[in-house]
Amino acid sequence: EDDVQNASGGSGRSLEGHGGAVRRGAGDGAGGKVEVEVRGSCNGCPQAAQTLKMGVEAKIKEDVPAVTEVVAV
């Protein structure tokens, strides 16, 4: 779980430059599924879904191979 938080924090740093943020959601990561909360200017942005998949999810999966899916909550 800490590995996922560290990975999502690393990818989230690039979002901060745009006034956005991402943090680990309340889910337990069962079955490799991790929940994240999109915050700040990213919340409601039309590009948020693409950023989540191409940036945040890719970084988390790279750093934590047990993760198979990242979903926004």
CSV table of all heavy atoms in Angstrom, one decimal:
chain,number,residue,atom,x,y,z
A,1,GLU,N,0.8,-1.2,0.0
A,1,GLU,CA,0.0,0.0,0.0
A,1,GLU,C,0.9,1.3,0.0
A,1,GLU,O,0.6,2.2,-0.7
A,1,GLU,CB,-0.9,0.0,1.2
A,1,GLU,CG,-2.0,1.0,1.1
A,1,GLU,CD,-3.1,0.8,2.2
A,1,GLU,OE1,-3.5,-0.4,2.3
A,1,GLU,OE2,-3.4,1.8,2.8
A,2,ASP,N,1.9,1.3,0.8
A,2,ASP,CA,2.8,2.4,0.8
A,2,ASP,C,3.5,2.6,-0.5
A,2,ASP,O,3.7,3.7,-1.0
A,2,ASP,CB,3.9,2.3,1.9
A,2,ASP,CG,3.3,2.5,3.3
A,2,ASP,OD1,2.2,3.1,3.4
A,2,ASP,OD2,3.9,2.0,4.3
A,3,ASP,N,3.8,1.5,-1.2
A,3,ASP,CA,4.4,1.5,-2.5
A,3,ASP,C,3.5,2.2,-3.5
A,3,ASP,O,3.9,3.0,-4.4
A,3,ASP,CB,4.7,0.1,-3.1
A,3,ASP,CG,5.9,-0.6,-2.3
A,3,ASP,OD1,6.6,0.2,-1.6
A,3,ASP,OD2,5.9,-1.8,-2.3
A,4,VAL,N,2.2,1.9,-3.4
A,4,VAL,CA,1.2,2.6,-4.3
A,4,VAL,C,1.1,4.1,-4.0
A,4,VAL,O,1.1,4.9,-5.0
A,4,VAL,CB,-0.2,1.9,-4.2
A,4,VAL,CG1,-1.2,2.7,-4.9
A,4,VAL,CG2,-0.1,0.5,-4.7
A,5,GLN,N,1.1,4.4,-2.8
A,5,GLN,CA,1.1,5.8,-2.4
A,5,GLN,C,2.3,6.6,-2.9
A,5,GLN,O,2.2,7.7,-3.5
A,5,GLN,CB,0.9,6.0,-0.9
A,5,GLN,CG,0.7,7.5,-0.5
A,5,GLN,CD,-0.5,8.1,-1.0
A,5,GLN,OE1,-1.6,7.4,-1.0
A,5,GLN,NE2,-0.5,9.3,-1.5
A,6,ASN,N,3.5,6.0,-2.8
A,6,ASN,CA,4.7,6.6,-3.3
A,6,ASN,C,4.7,6.8,-4.8
A,6,ASN,O,5.0,7.8,-5.3
A,6,ASN,CB,5.9,5.8,-2.8
A,6,ASN,CG,6.2,5.9,-1.4
A,6,ASN,OD1,5.8,6.8,-0.7
A,6,ASN,ND2,6.9,4.9,-0.8
A,7,ALA,N,4.2,5.7,-5.5
A,7,ALA,CA,4.1,5.8,-6.9
A,7,ALA,C,3.1,6.8,-7.4
A,7,ALA,O,3.4,7.6,-8.3
A,7,ALA,CB,3.8,4.4,-7.5
A,8,SER,N,1.9,6.9,-6.8
A,8,SER,CA,0.9,7.9,-7.2
A,8,SER,C,1.4,9.3,-6.8
A,8,SER,O,1.1,10.2,-7.6
A,8,SER,CB,-0.4,7.6,-6.6
A,8,SER,OG,-0.4,7.7,-5.1
A,9,GLY,N,2.1,9.4,-5.7
A,9,GLY,CA,2.7,10.7,-5.4
A,9,GLY,C,3.7,11.2,-6.4
A,9,GLY,O,3.7,12.4,-6.8
A,10,GLY,N,4.5,10.3,-6.9
A,10,GLY,CA,5.5,10.6,-7.9
A,10,GLY,C,4.9,11.1,-9.2
A,10,GLY,O,5.3,12.1,-9.8
A,11,SER,N,3.8,10.4,-9.6
A,11,SER,CA,3.2,10.8,-10.9
A,11,SER,C,2.3,12.1,-10.6
A,11,SER,O,2.1,12.9,-11.5
A,11,SER,CB,2.3,9.7,-11.4
A,11,SER,OG,1.3,9.3,-10.5
A,12,GLY,N,1.8,12.2,-9.4
A,12,GLY,CA,1.0,13.4,-9.0
A,12,GLY,C,1.8,14.7,-9.1
A,12,GLY,O,1.2,15.8,-9.2
A,13,ARG,N,3.1,14.6,-8.9
A,13,ARG,CA,3.9,15.9,-8.9
A,13,ARG,C,3.8,16.6,-10.2
A,13,ARG,O,3.8,17.8,-10.2
A,13,ARG,CB,5.4,15.5,-8.5
A,13,ARG,CG,5.6,15.3,-7.0
A,13,ARG,CD,7.1,15.3,-6.7
A,13,ARG,NE,7.6,13.9,-6.6
A,13,ARG,CZ,7.3,13.0,-5.7
A,13,ARG,NH1,6.4,13.3,-4.8
A,13,ARG,NH2,7.9,11.9,-5.7
A,14,SER,N,3.7,15.9,-11.3
A,14,SER,CA,3.6,16.6,-12.6
A,14,SER,C,2.2,17.2,-12.7
A,14,SER,O,2.1,18.3,-13.4
A,14,SER,CB,3.8,15.6,-13.7
A,14,SER,OG,2.8,14.6,-13.7
A,15,LEU,N,1.2,16.7,-12.0
A,15,LEU,CA,-0.1,17.3,-12.0
A,15,LEU,C,-0.2,18.6,-11.2
A,15,LEU,O,-0.9,19.5,-11.6
A,15,LEU,CB,-1.2,16.3,-11.4
A,15,LEU,CG,-1.4,15.0,-12.1
A,15,LEU,CD1,-2.3,14.2,-11.4
A,15,LEU,CD2,-1.8,15.2,-13.6
A,16,GLU,N,0.7,18.7,-10.2
A,16,GLU,CA,0.7,19.9,-9.4
A,16,GLU,C,1.0,21.1,-10.2
A,16,GLU,O,0.6,22.2,-9.9
A,16,GLU,CB,1.7,19.7,-8.2
A,16,GLU,CG,1.2,18.7,-7.2
A,16,GLU,CD,2.3,18.4,-6.1
A,16,GLU,OE1,3.4,19.0,-6.2
A,16,GLU,OE2,2.0,17.6,-5.2
A,17,GLY,N,1.8,21.0,-11.2
A,17,GLY,CA,2.2,22.1,-12.1
A,17,GLY,C,1.0,22.7,-12.8
A,17,GLY,O,1.0,23.8,-13.3
A,18,HIS,N,-0.1,21.9,-12.9
A,18,HIS,CA,-1.3,22.3,-13.5
A,18,HIS,C,-2.4,22.6,-12.5
A,18,HIS,O,-3.6,22.8,-12.9
A,18,HIS,CB,-1.8,21.3,-14.5
A,18,HIS,CG,-0.9,21.0,-15.6
A,18,HIS,ND1,-0.9,21.7,-16.8
A,18,HIS,CD2,0.1,20.1,-15.7
A,18,HIS,CE1,0.1,21.3,-17.6
A,18,HIS,NE2,0.7,20.3,-16.9
A,19,GLY,N,-2.1,22.7,-11.2
A,19,GLY,CA,-3.0,22.9,-10.2
A,19,GLY,C,-3.9,21.7,-9.8
A,19,GLY,O,-4.9,21.9,-9.1
A,20,GLY,N,-3.5,20.6,-10.2
A,20,GLY,CA,-4.2,19.4,-9.9
A,20,GLY,C,-3.5,18.5,-8.9
A,20,GLY,O,-2.4,18.8,-8.5
A,21,ALA,N,-4.1,17.4,-8.5
A,21,ALA,CA,-3.5,16.5,-7.5
A,21,ALA,C,-4.2,15.1,-7.6
A,21,ALA,O,-5.3,15.0,-8.1
A,21,ALA,CB,-3.6,17.0,-6.1
A,22,VAL,N,-3.5,14.1,-7.1
A,22,VAL,CA,-4.1,12.8,-7.1
A,22,VAL,C,-3.7,12.2,-5.7
A,22,VAL,O,-2.5,12.4,-5.3
A,22,VAL,CB,-3.7,11.9,-8.3
A,22,VAL,CG1,-2.2,11.6,-8.3
A,22,VAL,CG2,-4.4,10.6,-8.3
A,23,ARG,N,-4.6,11.4,-5.1
A,23,ARG,CA,-4.2,10.8,-3.9
A,23,ARG,C,-4.9,9.4,-3.8
A,23,ARG,O,-5.9,9.2,-4.5
A,23,ARG,CB,-4.5,11.6,-2.6
A,23,ARG,CG,-6.0,11.7,-2.3
A,23,ARG,CD,-6.2,12.5,-1.0
A,23,ARG,NE,-7.6,12.4,-0.7
A,23,ARG,CZ,-8.1,12.0,0.5
A,23,ARG,NH1,-7.2,11.5,1.4
A,23,ARG,NH2,-9.3,11.9,0.7
A,24,ARG,N,-4.3,8.5,-3.0
A,24,ARG,CA,-4.9,7.2,-2.9
A,24,ARG,C,-6.3,7.2,-2.3
A,24,ARG,O,-6.5,7.9,-1.3
A,24,ARG,CB,-3.9,6.4,-2.0
A,24,ARG,CG,-4.4,5.0,-1.6
A,24,ARG,CD,-4.1,4.0,-2.8
A,24,ARG,NE,-4.7,2.8,-2.5
A,24,ARG,CZ,-4.0,1.7,-2.1
A,24,ARG,NH1,-2.7,1.8,-1.8
A,24,ARG,NH2,-4.7,0.6,-1.9
A,25,GLY,N,-7.2,6.5,-2.9
A,25,GLY,CA,-8.5,6.4,-2.4
A,25,GLY,C,-8.6,5.4,-1.2
A,25,GLY,O,-7.6,4.9,-0.7
A,26,ALA,N,-9.8,5.1,-0.8
A,26,ALA,CA,-10.1,4.3,0.4
A,26,ALA,C,-10.1,2.8,0.1
A,26,ALA,O,-10.0,2.0,1.0
A,26,ALA,CB,-11.4,4.7,1.0
A,27,GLY,N,-10.1,2.4,-1.2
A,27,GLY,CA,-10.1,1.0,-1.5
A,27,GLY,C,-8.9,0.2,-1.0
A,27,GLY,O,-7.8,0.8,-0.7
A,28,ASP,N,-9.0,-1.1,-0.8
A,28,ASP,CA,-8.0,-1.9,-0.2
A,28,ASP,C,-7.0,-2.5,-1.2
A,28,ASP,O,-6.1,-3.2,-0.8
A,28,ASP,CB,-8.5,-3.0,0.7
A,28,ASP,CG,-9.4,-4.0,-0.1
A,28,ASP,OD1,-9.5,-3.9,-1.3
A,28,ASP,OD2,-10.0,-4.9,0.5
A,29,GLY,N,-7.2,-2.3,-2.5
A,29,GLY,CA,-6.3,-2.8,-3.5
A,29,GLY,C,-6.6,-4.3,-3.8
A,29,GLY,O,-5.7,-4.9,-4.5
A,30,ALA,N,-7.7,-4.8,-3.3
A,30,ALA,CA,-7.9,-6.2,-3.6
A,30,ALA,C,-8.0,-6.5,-5.1
A,30,ALA,O,-8.6,-5.7,-5.8
A,30,ALA,CB,-9.3,-6.6,-2.9
A,31,GLY,N,-7.4,-7.6,-5.5
A,31,GLY,CA,-7.5,-8.0,-6.9
A,31,GLY,C,-6.7,-7.1,-7.8
A,31,GLY,O,-6.9,-7.2,-9.0
A,32,GLY,N,-5.8,-6.4,-7.2
A,32,GLY,CA,-4.9,-5.5,-8.0
A,32,GLY,C,-5.5,-4.2,-8.4
A,32,GLY,O,-4.9,-3.4,-9.2
A,33,LYS,N,-6.7,-3.9,-8.0
A,33,LYS,CA,-7.4,-2.7,-8.3
A,33,LYS,C,-7.2,-1.6,-7.3
A,33,LYS,O,-7.4,-1.9,-6.1
A,33,LYS,CB,-8.9,-3.0,-8.4
A,33,LYS,CG,-9.8,-1.8,-8.9
A,33,LYS,CD,-11.2,-2.2,-9.0
A,33,LYS,CE,-12.1,-1.1,-9.4
A,33,LYS,NZ,-13.5,-1.6,-9.5
A,34,VAL,N,-6.7,-0.5,-7.7
A,34,VAL,CA,-6.4,0.6,-6.8
A,34,VAL,C,-7.3,1.8,-7.1
A,34,VAL,O,-7.4,2.2,-8.3
A,34,VAL,CB,-4.9,1.0,-6.9
A,34,VAL,CG1,-4.6,2.3,-6.1
A,34,VAL,CG2,-4.0,-0.1,-6.5
A,35,GLU,N,-7.8,2.4,-6.1
A,35,GLU,CA,-8.6,3.6,-6.3
A,35,GLU,C,-7.8,4.9,-6.0
A,35,GLU,O,-7.0,4.9,-5.0
A,35,GLU,CB,-9.8,3.6,-5.3
A,35,GLU,CG,-10.8,2.4,-5.6
A,35,GLU,CD,-11.9,2.4,-4.6
A,35,GLU,OE1,-11.9,3.0,-3.6
A,35,GLU,OE2,-12.9,1.6,-4.9
A,36,VAL,N,-8.0,5.9,-6.8
A,36,VAL,CA,-7.3,7.2,-6.6
A,36,VAL,C,-8.4,8.3,-6.7
A,36,VAL,O,-9.4,8.2,-7.4
A,36,VAL,CB,-6.2,7.5,-7.5
A,36,VAL,CG1,-5.0,6.5,-7.3
A,36,VAL,CG2,-6.6,7.5,-9.0
A,37,GLU,N,-8.1,9.4,-6.0
A,37,GLU,CA,-9.0,10.5,-6.0
A,37,GLU,C,-8.3,11.6,-6.8
A,37,GLU,O,-7.2,12.0,-6.4
A,37,GLU,CB,-9.3,11.0,-4.6
A,37,GLU,CG,-10.2,12.2,-4.5
A,37,GLU,CD,-10.5,12.6,-3.1
A,37,GLU,OE1,-10.0,12.0,-2.2
A,37,GLU,OE2,-11.2,13.6,-3.0
A,38,VAL,N,-8.9,12.1,-7.8
A,38,VAL,CA,-8.4,13.2,-8.6
A,38,VAL,C,-8.9,14.5,-8.0
A,38,VAL,O,-10.1,14.7,-7.7
A,38,VAL,CB,-8.9,13.1,-10.1
A,38,VAL,CG1,-8.3,14.3,-10.9
A,38,VAL,CG2,-8.4,11.8,-10.7
A,39,ARG,N,-8.0,15.4,-7.7
A,39,ARG,CA,-8.4,16.7,-7.0
A,39,ARG,C,-7.9,17.9,-7.7
A,39,ARG,O,-7.2,17.8,-8.7
A,39,ARG,CB,-7.8,16.6,-5.6
A,39,ARG,CG,-8.2,15.3,-4.8
A,39,ARG,CD,-7.5,15.2,-3.5
A,39,ARG,NE,-8.2,16.0,-2.6
A,39,ARG,CZ,-7.9,16.2,-1.4
A,39,ARG,NH1,-6.8,15.7,-0.9
A,39,ARG,NH2,-8.6,16.9,-0.6
A,40,GLY,N,-8.3,19.0,-7.1
A,40,GLY,CA,-7.9,20.3,-7.7
A,40,GLY,C,-8.4,20.6,-9.1
A,40,GLY,O,-9.5,20.1,-9.4
A,41,SER,N,-7.6,21.2,-9.9
A,41,SER,CA,-8.1,21.6,-11.2
A,41,SER,C,-8.3,20.3,-12.1
A,41,SER,O,-8.9,20.4,-13.2
A,41,SER,CB,-7.2,22.6,-11.9
A,41,SER,OG,-5.9,22.0,-12.1
A,42,CYS,N,-7.7,19.2,-11.7
A,42,CYS,CA,-7.9,18.0,-12.5
A,42,CYS,C,-9.3,17.4,-12.4
A,42,CYS,O,-9.8,16.7,-13.3
A,42,CYS,CB,-6.9,16.9,-12.1
A,42,CYS,SG,-5.2,17.3,-12.5
A,43,ASN,N,-9.9,17.7,-11.2
A,43,ASN,CA,-11.3,17.2,-11.0
A,43,ASN,C,-12.2,17.9,-12.0
A,43,ASN,O,-12.4,19.1,-11.9
A,43,ASN,CB,-11.7,17.5,-9.5
A,43,ASN,CG,-13.0,16.8,-9.2
A,43,ASN,OD1,-13.5,16.0,-9.9
A,43,ASN,ND2,-13.6,17.3,-8.1
A,44,GLY,N,-12.9,17.1,-12.8
A,44,GLY,CA,-13.8,17.7,-13.8
A,44,GLY,C,-13.1,18.1,-15.1
A,44,GLY,O,-13.8,18.5,-16.1
A,45,CYS,N,-11.8,18.0,-15.2
A,45,CYS,CA,-11.1,18.4,-16.5
A,45,CYS,C,-11.4,17.3,-17.5
A,45,CYS,O,-11.3,16.1,-17.2
A,45,CYS,CB,-9.6,18.5,-16.2
A,45,CYS,SG,-8.6,18.7,-17.7
A,46,PRO,N,-11.6,17.7,-18.8
A,46,PRO,CA,-11.9,16.7,-19.8
A,46,PRO,C,-10.7,15.8,-20.1
A,46,PRO,O,-10.9,14.7,-20.6
A,46,PRO,CB,-12.2,17.5,-21.0
A,46,PRO,CG,-12.3,18.9,-20.6
A,46,PRO,CD,-11.8,19.1,-19.2
A,47,GLN,N,-9.5,16.2,-19.7
A,47,GLN,CA,-8.3,15.4,-20.0
A,47,GLN,C,-8.0,14.5,-18.8
A,47,GLN,O,-7.0,13.7,-18.8
A,47,GLN,CB,-7.1,16.3,-20.3
A,47,GLN,CG,-7.3,17.0,-21.6
A,47,GLN,CD,-7.3,16.1,-22.8
A,47,GLN,OE1,-6.6,15.1,-22.9
A,47,GLN,NE2,-8.2,16.4,-23.7
A,48,ALA,N,-8.7,14.6,-17.7
A,48,ALA,CA,-8.4,13.9,-16.5
A,48,ALA,C,-8.4,12.3,-16.7
A,48,ALA,O,-7.5,11.7,-16.2
A,48,ALA,CB,-9.4,14.2,-15.3
A,49,ALA,N,-9.3,11.8,-17.4
A,49,ALA,CA,-9.3,10.4,-17.7
A,49,ALA,C,-8.1,9.9,-18.4
A,49,ALA,O,-7.5,8.9,-18.1
A,49,ALA,CB,-10.6,10.0,-18.4
A,50,GLN,N,-7.7,10.6,-19.4
A,50,GLN,CA,-6.5,10.3,-20.2
A,50,GLN,C,-5.2,10.4,-19.3
A,50,GLN,O,-4.4,9.6,-19.3
A,50,GLN,CB,-6.4,11.2,-21.4
A,50,GLN,CG,-5.1,10.8,-22.2
A,50,GLN,CD,-5.1,11.7,-23.5
A,50,GLN,OE1,-5.9,12.4,-23.8
A,50,GLN,NE2,-4.0,11.5,-24.2
A,51,THR,N,-5.2,11.5,-18.5
A,51,THR,CA,-4.0,11.7,-17.6
A,51,THR,C,-4.0,10.5,-16.6
A,51,THR,O,-2.9,10.0,-16.3
A,51,THR,CB,-4.1,13.0,-16.9
A,51,THR,OG1,-4.2,14.1,-17.8
A,51,THR,CG2,-3.0,13.2,-15.9
A,52,LEU,N,-5.1,10.1,-16.1
A,52,LEU,CA,-5.2,9.0,-15.1
A,52,LEU,C,-4.6,7.8,-15.7
A,52,LEU,O,-3.7,7.1,-15.2
A,52,LEU,CB,-6.6,8.8,-14.6
A,52,LEU,CG,-6.7,7.7,-13.6
A,52,LEU,CD1,-6.1,8.0,-12.3
A,52,LEU,CD2,-8.2,7.4,-13.4
A,53,LYS,N,-5.1,7.4,-16.9
A,53,LYS,CA,-4.6,6.2,-17.6
A,53,LYS,C,-3.2,6.2,-18.1
A,53,LYS,O,-2.4,5.3,-17.8
A,53,LYS,CB,-5.6,5.8,-18.7
A,53,LYS,CG,-6.9,5.3,-18.3
A,53,LYS,CD,-6.8,4.0,-17.6
A,53,LYS,CE,-8.2,3.5,-17.1
A,53,LYS,NZ,-8.0,2.3,-16.3
A,54,MET,N,-2.9,7.3,-18.8
A,54,MET,CA,-1.6,7.4,-19.4
A,54,MET,C,-0.4,7.8,-18.5
A,54,MET,O,0.7,7.4,-18.7
A,54,MET,CB,-1.6,8.4,-20.6
A,54,MET,CG,-2.7,8.1,-21.6
A,54,MET,SD,-2.4,6.7,-22.7
A,54,MET,CE,-1.1,7.4,-23.7
A,55,GLY,N,-0.8,8.5,-17.4
A,55,GLY,CA,0.3,9.0,-16.5
A,55,GLY,C,0.2,8.3,-15.2
A,55,GLY,O,1.2,7.5,-14.9
A,56,VAL,N,-0.8,8.5,-14.4
A,56,VAL,CA,-0.9,8.0,-13.1
A,56,VAL,C,-0.9,6.4,-13.1
A,56,VAL,O,-0.1,5.8,-12.4
A,56,VAL,CB,-2.1,8.5,-12.3
A,56,VAL,CG1,-2.2,7.9,-10.9
A,56,VAL,CG2,-2.0,10.0,-12.2
A,57,GLU,N,-1.8,5.8,-13.8
A,57,GLU,CA,-1.9,4.4,-13.8
A,57,GLU,C,-0.6,3.7,-14.3
A,57,GLU,O,-0.1,2.8,-13.8
A,57,GLU,CB,-3.1,3.9,-14.7
A,57,GLU,CG,-3.2,2.4,-14.7
A,57,GLU,CD,-4.4,1.9,-15.5
A,57,GLU,OE1,-4.6,2.3,-16.6
A,57,GLU,OE2,-5.2,1.1,-14.8
A,58,ALA,N,0.0,4.3,-15.4
A,58,ALA,CA,1.2,3.7,-16.0
A,58,ALA,C,2.3,3.8,-14.9
A,58,ALA,O,3.1,2.8,-14.8
A,58,ALA,CB,1.6,4.5,-17.2
A,59,LYS,N,2.5,4.9,-14.2
A,59,LYS,CA,3.5,5.0,-13.2
A,59,LYS,C,3.3,4.0,-12.0
A,59,LYS,O,4.3,3.4,-11.6
A,59,LYS,CB,3.6,6.5,-12.7
A,59,LYS,CG,4.6,6.7,-11.6
A,59,LYS,CD,6.0,6.5,-12.1
A,59,LYS,CE,7.0,7.0,-11.0
A,59,LYS,NZ,8.2,6.2,-11.1
A,60,ILE,N,2.1,3.9,-11.6
A,60,ILE,CA,1.8,3.0,-10.5
A,60,ILE,C,2.1,1.6,-10.9
A,60,ILE,O,2.7,0.8,-10.2
A,60,ILE,CB,0.4,3.2,-9.9
A,60,ILE,CG1,0.2,4.5,-9.3
A,60,ILE,CG2,0.0,2.0,-9.0
A,60,ILE,CD1,-1.2,4.9,-8.9
A,61,LYS,N,1.6,1.2,-12.1
A,61,LYS,CA,1.9,-0.2,-12.6
A,61,LYS,C,3.4,-0.5,-12.7
A,61,LYS,O,3.8,-1.6,-12.5
A,61,LYS,CB,1.1,-0.4,-13.9
A,61,LYS,CG,-0.4,-0.6,-13.7
A,61,LYS,CD,-1.0,-0.8,-15.1
A,61,LYS,CE,-2.3,-1.4,-15.1
A,61,LYS,NZ,-2.9,-1.5,-16.4
A,62,GLU,N,4.1,0.5,-13.2
A,62,GLU,CA,5.5,0.4,-13.4
A,62,GLU,C,6.2,0.1,-12.0
A,62,GLU,O,7.1,-0.8,-11.9
A,62,GLU,CB,6.1,1.6,-14.0
A,62,GLU,CG,7.6,1.6,-14.2
A,62,GLU,CD,8.1,2.9,-14.8
A,62,GLU,OE1,7.4,3.5,-15.7
A,62,GLU,OE2,9.1,3.4,-14.3
A,63,ASP,N,5.8,0.9,-11.0
A,63,ASP,CA,6.5,0.8,-9.7
A,63,ASP,C,5.9,-0.3,-8.8
A,63,ASP,O,6.6,-0.8,-7.9
A,63,ASP,CB,6.3,2.1,-9.0
A,63,ASP,CG,7.1,3.3,-9.6
A,63,ASP,OD1,7.9,3.0,-10.5
A,63,ASP,OD2,6.9,4.4,-9.1
A,64,VAL,N,4.7,-0.7,-9.0
A,64,VAL,CA,4.0,-1.8,-8.2
A,64,VAL,C,3.4,-2.8,-9.2
A,64,VAL,O,2.2,-2.6,-9.5
A,64,VAL,CB,3.0,-1.1,-7.3
A,64,VAL,CG1,2.5,-2.2,-6.3
A,64,VAL,CG2,3.6,0.0,-6.5
A,65,PRO,N,4.1,-3.8,-9.6
A,65,PRO,CA,3.6,-4.7,-10.6
A,65,PRO,C,2.4,-5.5,-10.2
A,65,PRO,O,1.6,-6.0,-11.0
A,65,PRO,CB,4.8,-5.7,-10.8
A,65,PRO,CG,6.0,-4.9,-10.4
A,65,PRO,CD,5.5,-4.0,-9.3
A,66,ALA,N,2.0,-5.6,-8.9
A,66,ALA,CA,0.8,-6.3,-8.5
A,66,ALA,C,-0.4,-5.5,-8.8
A,66,ALA,O,-1.5,-6.1,-8.9
A,66,ALA,CB,0.9,-6.5,-6.9
A,67,VAL,N,-0.3,-4.2,-9.1
A,67,VAL,CA,-1.5,-3.4,-9.5
A,67,VAL,C,-1.8,-3.7,-11.0
A,67,VAL,O,-0.9,-3.6,-11.8
A,67,VAL,CB,-1.2,-1.9,-9.3
A,67,VAL,CG1,-2.3,-1.1,-9.9
A,67,VAL,CG2,-1.0,-1.6,-7.8
A,68,THR,N,-3.1,-4.0,-11.2
A,68,THR,CA,-3.5,-4.3,-12.6
A,68,THR,C,-4.5,-3.2,-13.1
A,68,THR,O,-4.7,-3.1,-14.3
A,68,THR,CB,-4.3,-5.6,-12.6
A,68,THR,OG1,-5.4,-5.6,-11.7
A,68,THR,CG2,-3.3,-6.8,-12.3
A,69,GLU,N,-5.1,-2.4,-12.2
A,69,GLU,CA,-6.0,-1.4,-12.7
A,69,GLU,C,-6.0,-0.2,-11.7
A,69,GLU,O,-6.0,-0.4,-10.5
A,69,GLU,CB,-7.4,-2.0,-12.8
A,69,GLU,CG,-8.5,-1.0,-13.3
A,69,GLU,CD,-9.8,-1.7,-13.3
A,69,GLU,OE1,-10.1,-2.7,-12.8
A,69,GLU,OE2,-10.7,-1.0,-14.0
A,70,VAL,N,-6.2,1.0,-12.2
A,70,VAL,CA,-6.3,2.2,-11.4
A,70,VAL,C,-7.6,2.9,-11.8
A,70,VAL,O,-7.8,3.1,-13.0
A,70,VAL,CB,-5.1,3.1,-11.5
A,70,VAL,CG1,-5.3,4.4,-10.7
A,70,VAL,CG2,-3.8,2.4,-11.1
A,71,VAL,N,-8.5,3.2,-10.8
A,71,VAL,CA,-9.7,3.8,-11.2
A,71,VAL,C,-9.9,5.1,-10.3
A,71,VAL,O,-9.5,5.1,-9.2
A,71,VAL,CB,-10.9,2.9,-10.9
A,71,VAL,CG1,-10.9,1.7,-11.9
A,71,VAL,CG2,-11.0,2.4,-9.5
A,72,ALA,N,-10.6,6.1,-10.9
A,72,ALA,CA,-10.9,7.3,-10.2
A,72,ALA,C,-12.1,7.1,-9.4
A,72,ALA,O,-13.1,6.5,-9.8
A,72,ALA,CB,-11.0,8.4,-11.1
A,73,VAL,N,-12.1,7.6,-8.2
A,73,VAL,CA,-13.3,7.6,-7.3
A,73,VAL,C,-13.8,9.0,-7.0
A,73,VAL,O,-13.1,9.9,-7.1
A,73,VAL,CB,-13.1,6.8,-6.0
A,73,VAL,CG1,-12.9,5.4,-6.3
A,73,VAL,CG2,-12.0,7.4,-5.2
